[in-house]
Amino acid sequence: MTEFELIQTYFTRPKPGLSRATLGVGDDCALLHPPRPGMQWAVSCDMLVAGQHFFEDVSPQLLGHKALAVNLSDLAACGAKPVAFFLALALPQADETFLQGFSTGLHALADEFECELLGGDTTRGPLNICITVMGEVPQGQALLRSGAQVGDDVYVSGKLGDASLALAALRGEPGVQLGAQALAELRPALEQPQPRVALGRALRGLVHSAIDISDGLLSDLGHLLQRSQVGARVQLDALPCSTHLRQQAPQLQQRCLLAGGDDYELLFTAAPSQAAAVQAAAHQTGVPVTRIGCAQAGLQIWDLQNQIPSTNFCGFDHFAG
Amino acid sequence: MTEFELIQTYFTRPKPGLSRATLGVGDDCALLHPPRPGMQWAVSCDMLVAGQHFFEDVSPQLLGHKALAVNLSDLAACGAKPVAFFLALALPQADETFLQGFSTGLHALADEFECELLGGDTTRGPLNICITVMGEVPQGQALLRSGAQVGDDVYVSGKLGDASLALAALRGEPGVQLGAQALAELRPALEQPQPRVALGRALRGLVHSAIDISDGLLSDLGHLLQRSQVGARVQLDALPCSTHLRQQAPQLQQRCLLAGGDDYELLFTAAPSQAAAVQAAAHQTGVPVTRIGCAQAGLQIWDLQNQIPSTNFCGFDHFAG
C-alpha cells in the first residue's frame, strides 16, 4: 500500500455538508473559511508516543479515540467548539488492521464533535501521533489559565485518579487492589477519556480560570495558579473519587488523585457568587462538578485533619528527574 | 530540566509587535485573531522522523531550519504568506546542546518569514518533529494542484536533484562522483532548503496549478496531473541541473532529477500567454524559473531523442514496496 492509498483509504472522507474548509485533504495546504464573525480560533497541538502515552498493544480503535480526545480536551479547557484537525502519523509499517481500527476510533470521536479532518502527514517511523486541533470561541470569551482570584472556589469535573489507577494495575504495580471486573470498569477512564467540551463551553462567562488535567491535579493546578499568581487550599477528602480508588491504600489513593495523569477533566475557579450557575452548567451538560477548595495566598493540600506537604506529590513531567 | 523549563528556555519568545495571536505559548490553546478581511487560512502539517528524513547526527541548527522550511514550502505552493506555526517535538532526552541548536535554526527561519511560534507540545520519545503551519492567502486566490490545463507550460523553480545527489554521496552510494568541495556546495540543498514563499505569492493570479516538489519531480508532477486530470510532456534535457549533477553518470543524473526527494522547489503550470509574467515574477523574487514541458493528454518524459518510460522512475513513498 502506498502513502497515497493509505491516506485515500483511511483518512479521506466525504466532505460534510457544513465543511469549514474550501479545500481539505489532498493539496499542499487545507484552506479554511475565516471564523464566523465575532469568533476567534483556538489552536492546540498534542503528540502521543508509543510507550510513553500508551501501551504498544493498545486497541488501535481506542488509540484513535484517545489521540483526538486529548486534543479536544485542550479545546474544552478554553471553552472552544471543535472545528477541524490535522493528523500527522508515523507508523513502523502500513498495518491495515491497525489503520482500520485507529481511523475508526478517530473518525467516530471526530463525528461526535463535528470536528473535520482537513489534512496532515503520514510517514514511516516509530509509532507517533501528532494532532493539531482548531476550535472557535467568541472573541474575548476563551477560558484562560490566568484569571484565578483569591477567594475563588476551585472545582474539578468528573472523577480523578481512575486512569492512573488503571495504569498502575495494567503495569502490575505492587499494592494495587483491583479485580478483573473493577479493572474493566476503570480502563475506559485511561483508554477512552471523554473530552469535556460541552462543559467547557457552558462555563464561558462563569469562571475566572480553567485548565484541563492531563499531568495530574497538583501539576496542572500548579500551572493554573502560577499563571494566575495565586495559591489554593485543596481539601483532599473532597476530591471526587471512584469506589474502586477509595478502596486502595491511602498512599496509592493520594498519588492517583493528586499526581495521576490522564484524567482529562476540567479544573477551574469561579467566584463563590457563581456557585449555582456552575452547578447549573454541570447539570445541563451531564458532567458532575465538585468544589475541592478555594484560591488563597499559598498552595496547601489538606486531609481531614492535617496539611500535607504538596511536595510529596508531583505530576507527570516528560523530562524531569 | 523539566518540560516547562525546556519550553520556557527554548521555545518561548517575546511577543512580536504585530503578533497575530491574543494568546500564545503557555495556555491550553493559542488564540488567534481572525485572518484579515478577505483572507483565508492555509494550513499544512509535516512530520520529520530521524533516520527517515534526516541523519541522526545532522547539525541541530540545520534540522531546526529544515523542519520549518518543509512546512513553509507547502505554504509557498499555495501562494500563502506564513503567519504562525505549532511545534510538537519528541526527544530521547532533554539535550541542551541539541535544543540550543535546533531552536536557533528554527527561530532564525521563522523570523525571516515573520512566522510566529504559537504553541505545541514536547514529550520524550524517538526524535520526531511535527510542525503545523498557518498562512494567509486572499480568498479564492490560493494556488491549487487541480487547475492545470492541456496546453499549459510546465515550470519548475531553482534546480532539481542536488539534494538527492548530496544524500547519495553522504550515504556513500557507489558511482557518485563528487569531491569534498563539491559535496560541501551541494549539502545546503539537502540540509537547508529555501522555501519559495516569495515566488509562490508572486505567482498568484498567473498560474493554473502548483505543488512543491518534496518526493521527486515525477511523483509530485503525477499528483498535480492526477488532480488536474491532464498529462504532460517533460523534456529531460530542459530540467534545471547543477554542474555537479550534470557530471554524474546518466542513470544517476536522471534518478536525481526525476525521482530525487527534498528539492522543495515549486512545480507549476501556466498558460503560454503568461510566460512573460511568470519570468517577471521569477526575476522580481530572485528565483530562476525554467519551462520544462507542457501539459497534454498523457505523461511522457523525453530526452533529446527518445521517449523514456516514466515507470523507470518513481518518487519517494514512505510505505511503498
Side-chain angles (χ1 to χ4, degrees):
Chain A
M1 146 170 295
T2 68
E3 187 173 348
F4 283 82
E5 287 164 351
L6 187 161
I7 293 169
Q8 187 63 39
T9 306
Y10 297 108
F11 299 114
T12 308
R13 310 180 78 204
K15 200 169 167 178
L18 288 170
S19 175
R20 298 299 293 277
T22 52
L23 188 72
V25 174
D27 214 294
D28 294 284
C29 295
L31 296 173
L32 274 71
H33 292 295
R36 291 177 298 157
M39 308 294 266
Q40 62 184 169
W41 290 121
V43 185
S44 185
C45 177
D46 273 303
M47 181 175 265
L48 272 67
V49 177
Q52 291 286 325
H53 300 89
F54 54 90
F55 292 110
E56 299 265 3
D57 63 351
V58 68
S59 141
Q61 191 165 341
L62 294 176
L63 182 58
H65 172 102
K66 185 165 177 175
L68 183 57
V70 304
N71 279 277
L72 295 179
S73 183
D74 285 316
L75 291 184
C78 282
K81 179 185 184 304
V83 170
F85 70 106
F86 295 79
L87 166 71
L89 189 59
L91 296 169
Q93 63 277 324
D95 175 333
E96 302 203 27
T97 305
F98 175 87
L99 284 161
Q100 183 63 54
F102 179 84
S103 61
T104 299
L106 181 83
H107 293 316
L109 191 68
D111 289 347
E112 184 183 337
F113 288 97
E114 297 177 316
C115 192
E116 193 180 353
L117 176 58
L118 287 185
D121 194 15
T122 54
T123 182
R124 197 184 287 269
L127 184 54
N128 182 308
I129 306 154
C130 182
I131 288 181
T132 303
V133 73
M134 304 177 65
E136 63 179 11
V137 60
Q139 283 185 51
Q141 291 188 37
L143 314 183
L144 306 181
R145 297 180 179 180
S146 55
Q149 297 174 19
V150 169
D152 274 3
D153 290 325
V154 178
Y155 297 89
V156 294
S157 66
K159 294 192 293 273
L160 300 180
D162 280 355
S164 56
L165 180 59
L167 182 63
L170 290 170
R171 279 180 171 159
E173 285 187 23
V176 177
Q177 306 289 330
L178 212 59
Q181 173 64 28
L183 177 57
E185 287 171 31
L186 289 185
R187 282 182 75 148
L190 177 66
E191 297 176 333
Q192 217 166 359
Q194 300 301 315
R196 302 307 193 187
V197 169
L199 178 63
R201 294 176 68 191
L203 292 174
R204 289 198 310 240
L206 302 181
V207 306
H208 284 151
S209 65
I211 190 172
D212 75 319
I213 308 177
S214 54
D215 296 332
L217 173 65
L218 277 195
S219 175
D220 290 309
L221 177 60
H223 299 151
L224 184 146
L225 297 177
Q226 188 178 27
R227 278 265 164 177
S228 298
Q229 294 290 298
V230 296
R233 175 174 168 149
V234 170
Q235 197 70 28
L236 187 57
D237 48 294
L239 297 180
C241 177
S242 70
T243 314
H244 299 306
L245 182 52
R246 196 67 76 191
Q247 289 166 350
Q248 305 304 312
Q251 201 175 358
L252 175 62
Q253 194 184 124
Q254 284 187 16
R255 193 194 81 192
C256 289
L257 285 170
L258 295 176
D262 277 334
D263 289 312
Y264 299 106
E265 295 294 348
L266 296 188
L267 169 68
F268 55 96
T269 79
S273 60
Q274 296 288 1
V278 165
Q279 289 303 334
H283 183 75
Q284 172 206 327
T285 57
V287 181
V289 150
T290 307
R291 181 184 178 281
I292 63 167
C294 64
Q296 60 172 24
L299 180 60
Q300 299 178 335
I301 311 296
W302 285 73
D303 68 7
L304 281 172
Q305 288 86 31
N306 306 301
Q307 186 178 346
I308 302 169
S310 62
T311 48
N312 283 3
F313 309 96
C314 72
F316 187 75
D317 186 296
H318 288 287
F319 295 106
Chain B
M1 148 170 296
T2 69
E3 185 174 349
F4 283 82
E5 288 164 350
L6 188 162
I7 293 169
Q8 187 62 39
T9 307
Y10 297 108
F11 299 114
T12 308
R13 310 180 78 204
K15 198 169 168 177
L18 289 170
S19 175
R20 298 298 294 276
T22 52
L23 188 72
V25 174
D27 213 294
D28 293 283
C29 295
L31 297 174
L32 274 72
H33 291 296
R36 291 178 298 159
M39 306 295 267
Q40 62 184 168
W41 290 121
V43 185
S44 185
C45 177
D46 273 302
M47 179 176 265
L48 272 66
V49 176
Q52 291 286 325
H53 301 89
F54 55 89
F55 292 111
E56 299 266 2
D57 63 351
V58 69
S59 141
Q61 191 165 341
L62 294 176
L63 183 59
H65 172 101
K66 184 164 177 175
L68 183 57
V70 304
N71 279 276
L72 295 179
S73 182
D74 284 316
L75 291 184
C78 282
K81 179 184 184 305
V83 170
F85 70 105
F86 294 80
L87 166 71
L89 188 59
L91 296 168
Q93 63 277 323
D95 175 334
E96 301 203 28
T97 305
F98 175 87
L99 283 161
Q100 184 63 53
F102 180 83
S103 61
T104 299
L106 182 82
H107 293 316
L109 191 69
D111 289 348
E112 183 184 337
F113 288 97
E114 297 178 316
C115 192
E116 193 181 354
L117 176 58
L118 286 184
D121 195 15
T122 54
T123 183
R124 197 184 287 268
L127 183 55
N128 183 309
I129 306 154
C130 182
I131 289 181
T132 304
V133 72
M134 304 179 66
E136 64 179 10
V137 60
Q139 282 185 51
Q141 290 188 38
L143 314 183
L144 306 181
R145 298 180 178 180
S146 54
Q149 296 173 20
V150 170
D152 274 3
D153 290 326
V154 179
Y155 296 89
V156 294
S157 66
K159 293 191 293 272
L160 300 181
D162 280 355
S164 57
L165 179 60
L167 182 63
L170 290 170
R171 279 180 172 158
E173 284 187 24
V176 177
Q177 307 288 331
L178 212 59
Q181 174 64 28
L183 177 57
E185 287 171 30
L186 289 184
R187 281 182 76 148
L190 176 67
E191 296 176 335
Q192 217 165 359
Q194 300 301 314
R196 302 306 193 186
V197 170
L199 178 63
R201 295 176 68 191
L203 292 175
R204 290 198 309 240
L206 302 182
V207 305
H208 284 150
S209 66
I211 190 172
D212 75 318
I213 308 177
S214 54
D215 295 332
L217 173 66
L218 276 195
S219 175
D220 290 309
L221 176 61
H223 299 150
L224 183 147
L225 297 178
Q226 188 179 27
R227 278 267 164 176
S228 298
Q229 295 290 299
V230 296
R233 174 173 168 151
V234 171
Q235 198 70 28
L236 187 57
D237 48 292
L239 297 180
C241 178
S242 70
T243 314
H244 299 307
L245 183 51
R246 196 68 76 191
Q247 288 165 350
Q248 306 303 313
Q251 201 175 358
L252 175 63
Q253 194 185 125
Q254 284 187 16
R255 194 194 81 193
C256 290
L257 285 171
L258 295 176
D262 277 333
D263 290 311
Y264 299 107
E265 295 294 348
L266 296 188
L267 169 69
F268 56 96
T269 79
S273 60
Q274 296 287 3
V278 165
Q279 289 303 335
H283 183 75
Q284 173 206 327
T285 56
V287 181
V289 149
T290 308
R291 181 183 178 282
I292 62 167
C294 65
Q296 60 172 26
L299 179 60
Q300 298 178 334
I301 311 296
W302 285 73
D303 67 9
L304 281 173
Q305 289 86 31
N306 306 299
Q307 187 178 346
I308 302 169
S310 62
T311 48
N312 284 3
F313 309 96
C314 72
F316 187 75
D317 186 296
H318 287 288
F319 294 106

